[in-house]
Amino acid sequence: MASLKSGIIIGIATAGVAAAALAGNGVRFSPNDMGVHRLATTPISTATIFSPPPGAPLSFADIFEKVAPAVVSIEVTTHLTASELQGIPGFPIPNLTPRGEGDNGDGDGDDSGSGAKPHAPKAESQGSGFFISADGYLVTNNHVVENAEDIKVTLKDGRILPARVIGHDEATDLAVIKVEGNNFPFVDFENSALPRVGDWVIAIGNPYGLGNTATAGIVSAYGRDIGDSFVDFIQIDAPINRGNSGGPTFDIYGRVIGVNSQIFTPSGGSIGIGFAIPADVADNITKQLIAGGKISRGYMGANIQNVTPDVAASLGMGSRKGALVADLVPGGPADKAGVKPGDVVIGVNGHDVGSNTELTRLVAQSHNGDALHLTVLRDGKPREIDVRSGTRPSEQQLAANQNAGPGGQLIAPDAPVTQHPHVLGLTLGALDQGSRQRFSVPSDQSGAVVLGVKDSSDAGDKGLKAGDLIVRAGDTSVAAPSDVQTAVAAAKKEGRPSILLGVRRDGHNIFVPIKIEG
């Protein structure tokens, strides 16, 4: 789950079966209590039937009967790891050993009397999916079947069939699984004639283990960026809950317009804000998974961040948008082509770049060896750089690279031995042998080290701390504290309200706009 703000969470909608609570014995109202006046002399059979306005269906029953046979419930069995068990309060952590190891030699897994380590406990989860072909291919979410050891699919007619994973893509949270057989009912993706915001949609799935549940609502919005680099989600208000993950969202013609993936919730249950992966993304990814089992994406080897209004002001960009290059992978495509930290990418192959996620998606559409023609702002001036695209590493590899670095807890020195300049609420020091050792700074790295931060300063509010290394200030590379002072003075003279600092922390660069005091 990914945290948003104020305790509201984005939660993956998969979970085990929950008990259903039945309401009853509550307060009853007569029709008149509710402001409704029934004519006792009018037989129910001849009462006028409510007629909805044009465009609103009288019932979703016909749609459900048409498409529901293609929707399945998915049950997954896996084994919990020690790290996962540590997240369960009060759960004892066994001394885990791989399955099949440490038994008494008869191959049945019976370790009794052998002193062997116990197996990891099983975990079961549930989700949804749907057939996209008559020969048994189904679409679901990656998080539903990730690390699955056993997958069972329950069809609407009650049949339970074993399934295997054909391919999965963590970046879009999509997976394809398959059951053996033929003549399965299936549905099609709708890639072009999409419903408008406000049009009806219907979701079918397996919330809380309650298979073949249908809910209806409208398309609430398109293009929701909820932290995923490759998906502009569709927002719907048709209730989806844990267990709906991987199920389809249909339009009123029974065509799949999205794959339910996540919910926005403070409690874990539906509050009417759900997110579906658009059909065109799902169609493209699933075809690639069926064809080859894996997805290949372009890669330029750069860590990027959004150009916020504060960042734009510090760079003198006005209202222009783009993606700020915070750091480069040494020897990567962008590094080889001459891209530098602090560059702002505003275009790729003729397409304007409005955000960091937009840049990521544009680059990802390329293939290994393709030319990426970048338009960047450097020192306030546009320039063109051609980058030869590489192949994007797996999400696990990227995460490992992000976590790599010198590490270690950063603490302020006990006492300064020389005069240290104060600027932007920061106490800065030069990189000498002592500070390099104290803050684990490599010998080939230059900059000004942060020795202290004024709590009431903007730098303190933005999270700068002792041990951070200032490597860039505005358009200037920093080799000493005086470089920061000079850059701040120049920015103040130009009338800029803030200056963009390049900060190196744990082996990675980030850019932070800091207000100029006074």
Side-chain angles (χ1 to χ4, degrees):
M1 298 185 181
S3 174
L4 288 186
K5 59 175 80 172
S6 302
I8 305 299
I9 58 173
I10 291 289
I12 55 178
T14 181
V17 178
L22 300 179
N25 300 322
V27 178
R28 298 187 178 186
F29 295 92
S30 69
N32 285 341
D33 291 331
M34 303 298 292
V36 177
H37 302 278
R38 180 184 300 165
L39 299 178
T41 58
T42 303
I44 295 177
S45 59
T46 61
T48 302
I49 297 177
F50 171 74
S51 178
L58 181 62
S59 171
F60 294 98
D62 290 341
I63 304 171
F64 179 80
E65 290 179 4
K66 175 183 175 182
V67 301
V71 183
V72 303
S73 300
I74 299 175
E75 295 183 2
V76 174
T77 301
T78 186
H79 280 74
L80 293 174
T81 65
S83 61
E84 290 170 328
L85 289 174
Q86 288 172 352
I88 304 177
F91 200 103
I93 308 301
N95 191 2
L96 302 179
T97 188
R99 298 180 69 197
E101 296 182 13
D103 63 17
N104 57 17
D106 60 9
D108 66 359
D110 181 6
D111 301 324
S112 58
S114 66
K117 302 173 183 177
H119 296 321
K122 287 184 178 181
E124 295 182 350
S125 60
Q126 296 181 331
S128 306
F130 56 98
F131 285 104
I132 57 170
S133 69
D135 56 349
Y137 286 98
L138 297 114
V139 174
T140 186
N141 282 151
N142 174 66
H143 73 256
V144 172
V145 296
E146 190 175 25
N147 302 319
E149 297 176 13
D150 183 67
I151 304 174
K152 287 185 173 60
V153 169
T154 302
L155 279 62
K156 189 175 187 294
D157 61 14
R159 284 182 291 166
I160 301 177
L161 302 175
R164 58 188 174 91
V165 176
I166 297 299
H168 60 93
D169 180 38
E170 183 180 354
T172 56
D173 194 25
L174 288 166
V176 174
I177 62 177
K178 191 179 189 304
V179 298
E180 296 304 318
N182 288 289
N183 300 319
F184 293 106
F186 65 95
V187 289
D188 296 315
F189 287 111
E190 176 53 54
N191 296 331
S192 55
L194 297 178
R196 301 164 299 169
V197 172
D199 281 346
W200 287 102
V201 290
I202 179 172
I204 301 177
N206 183 38
Y208 299 111
L210 303 172
N212 298 113
T213 294
T215 55
I218 62 170
V219 173
S220 301
Y222 281 101
R224 291 302 195 204
D225 179 3
I226 57 175
D228 194 292
S229 297
F230 301 102
V231 179
D232 278 326
F233 285 91
I234 304 171
Q235 181 183 330
I236 62 173
D237 74 348
I240 58 176
N241 286 283
R242 297 182 182 275
N244 274 111
S245 278
T249 297
F250 295 100
D251 63 14
I252 59 174
Y253 302 102
R255 302 173 299 196
V256 180
I257 60 104
V259 181
N260 299 322
S261 178
Q262 303 192 44
I263 56 176
F264 185 58
T265 172
S267 61
S270 174
I271 59 171
I273 302 178
F275 300 98
I277 303 164
D280 59 340
V281 174
D283 191 19
N284 177 45
I285 295 298
T286 53
K287 285 177 179 176
Q288 291 185 61
L289 292 176
I290 292 172
K294 62 182 297 184
I295 305 298
S296 177
R297 293 185 173 90
Y299 177 68
M300 59 181 268
N303 293 329
I304 53 177
Q305 62 186 79
N306 251 341
V307 176
T308 64
D310 283 347
V311 170
S314 66
L315 292 173
M317 291 178 55
S319 60
R320 300 184 75 166
K321 296 182 178 181
L324 176 65
V325 177
D327 203 358
L328 296 169
V329 175
D335 185 31
K336 290 180 179 178
V339 177
K340 295 183 178 181
D343 286 347
V344 178
V345 181
I346 59 174
V348 177
N349 293 339
H351 297 279
D352 291 339
V353 172
S355 66
N356 58 342
T357 53
E358 190 169 358
L359 174 59
T360 300
R361 291 166 187 159
L362 288 170
V363 171
Q365 292 171 8
S366 65
H367 299 89
N368 185 39
D370 286 353
L372 298 171
H373 186 73
L374 306 185
T375 303
V376 306
L377 291 178
R378 181 182 298 172
D379 300 335
K381 299 177 182 178
R383 64 172 62 198
E384 310 297 322
I385 302 176
D386 288 324
V387 177
R388 188 67 61 182
S389 177
T391 300
R392 183 179 176 87
S394 70
E395 300 306 306
Q396 293 91 337
Q397 290 173 310
L398 290 172
N401 291 340
Q402 287 289 339
N403 293 329
Q409 184 178 4
L410 302 180
I411 57 174
D414 293 333
V417 296
T418 58
Q419 292 285 333
H420 298 295
H422 300 270
V423 60
L424 300 174
L426 303 171
T427 302
L428 301 178
L431 278 176
D432 53 23
Q433 184 176 357
S435 61
R436 287 185 185 278
Q437 183 176 2
R438 182 181 301 117
F439 298 117
S440 302
V441 180
S443 58
D444 60 349
Q445 178 69 63
S446 60
V449 66
V450 176
L451 302 178
V453 183
K454 185 179 179 181
D455 289 339
S456 59
S457 67
D458 188 49
D461 291 341
K462 296 287 177 59
L464 269 67
K465 61 183 182 179
D468 284 343
L469 194 65
I470 309 301
V471 297
R472 190 177 181 86
D475 299 330
T476 304
S477 296
V478 172
S482 58
D483 293 331
V484 180
Q485 291 177 299
T486 301
V488 170
K492 181 182 290 188
K493 185 176 181 180
E494 293 176 7
R496 295 188 181 180
S498 58
I499 186 169
L500 194 66
L501 297 185
V503 181
R504 191 162 184 83
R505 179 185 296 173
D506 295 337
H508 298 284
N509 288 354
I510 57 174
F511 281 86
V512 185
I514 303 297
K515 294 178 181 178
I516 298 174
E517 298 176 347

